[in-house]
Amino acid sequence: AAHWAVQHSFIPNNGRDIAQAIRQAKATSISDGCLKFKVGTSAFVIEGPNGTRIIGINKVLGPLKNGDSYRCKLAGIYAVILIINAICAYYQITDGMVVFACDNEVSLHIFEPDFVPDSSMISFDLVNTIWQTYRKSPIKWHVEHVKGHWDKTQCILTYKEKLNVEMDRAAKYYCHQSVLDGHTAPIQHDIYNEGWSVWN
């Protein structure tokens, strides 16, 4: 139930370098999403200070409505937290920090201390899943908003802005490739850590 989010990931050295970066509070992560022709994708990256990176893409669970790019952003966030938690469990990390940046301010509310999911929220299933998974994380998370698409208007970008542009392009490429290959049927099944769900 979690494979859809992380199965297309490249994790060098079994995540050992990223584990060290987490312990040293020097791990940086960013994700972004894309929605075209009702096909949603996201791309994500987790980097350490020595340039080692975990990178991946996923196809977002449906159903997706036109213009619902928010759900695509959530899918990338979910993948990042899943991988970080798995690395922490594997290397028995109980103290550390990860910086997570995203160009969607609304999705970052999930990380706020007093946030509680409401079933009337858009994409409540993913919001609740992320919240539940985040609460089980043994480390600290520092979240930042990074302005997206600045490559179209700015010549000089910060490091995080460059990563955001890279993930935006990766998500778009995977989305376009999925459409060209005819893989447009939405994936629909239960989500790991979602909790109770009702299907019609």
Side-chain angles (χ1 to χ4, degrees):
H3 277 191
W4 66 272
V6 298
Q7 63 182 337
H8 299 299
S9 305
F10 175 67
I11 305 177
N13 300 323
N14 213 24
R16 185 174 59 250
D17 294 335
I18 298 300
Q20 184 65 17
I22 293 170
R23 287 192 178 100
Q24 297 173 350
K26 294 181 179 179
T28 301
S29 57
I30 284 183
S31 67
D32 205 354
C34 176
L35 176 62
K36 299 285 185 184
F37 309 109
K38 293 189 177 181
V39 175
T41 57
S42 76
F44 49 90
V45 64
I46 306 166
E47 283 197 348
N50 61 354
T52 301
R53 56 169 29 189
I54 293 172
I55 191 165
I57 51 176
N58 64 40
K59 187 176 176 186
V60 185
L61 292 181
L64 283 161
K65 299 177 182 178
N66 286 328
D68 188 10
S69 59
Y70 174 60
R71 190 171 179 83
C72 302
K73 310 276 188 183
L74 294 175
I77 295 172
Y78 181 49
V80 168
I81 299 175
L82 277 173
I83 291 174
I84 293 293
N85 283 3
I87 288 174
C88 289
Y90 187 79
Y91 290 100
Q92 300 180 344
I93 299 172
T94 57
D95 186 35
M97 190 181 76
V98 171
V99 174
F100 175 75
C102 179
D103 64 7
N104 183 275
E105 290 184 272
V106 176
S107 61
L108 296 179
H109 292 328
I110 300 171
F111 295 89
E112 294 175 356
D114 57 349
F115 177 84
V116 177
D118 188 309
S119 59
S120 65
M121 291 176 170
I122 297 172
S123 292
F124 168 71
D125 56 344
L126 269 180
V127 170
N128 188 53
T129 299
I130 292 169
W131 183 68
Q132 296 280 5
T133 308
Y134 164 67
R135 290 176 67 205
K136 294 178 181 178
S137 185
I139 60 166
K140 296 181 180 70
W141 290 75
H142 175 76
V143 298
E144 298 178 10
H145 175 248
V146 59
K147 292 186 178 180
H149 311 291
W150 269 43
D151 55 316
K152 298 175 183 176
T153 58
Q154 301 290 325
C155 296
I156 301 174
L157 303 178
T158 67
Y159 175 67
K160 292 186 181 77
E161 288 167 351
K162 289 178 182 177
L163 283 180
N164 179 256
V165 169
E166 182 186 352
M167 293 305 102
D168 177 59
R169 290 175 178 171
K172 285 178 178 174
Y173 178 82
Y174 185 42
C175 185
H176 292 161
Q177 197 62 46
S178 296
V179 172
L180 289 174
D181 293 343
H183 300 152
T184 57
I187 307 169
Q188 291 181 289
H189 58 69
D190 61 323
I191 309 173
Y192 172 69
N193 259 348
E194 179 185 1
W196 287 95
S197 63
V198 178
W199 291 75
N200 182 359

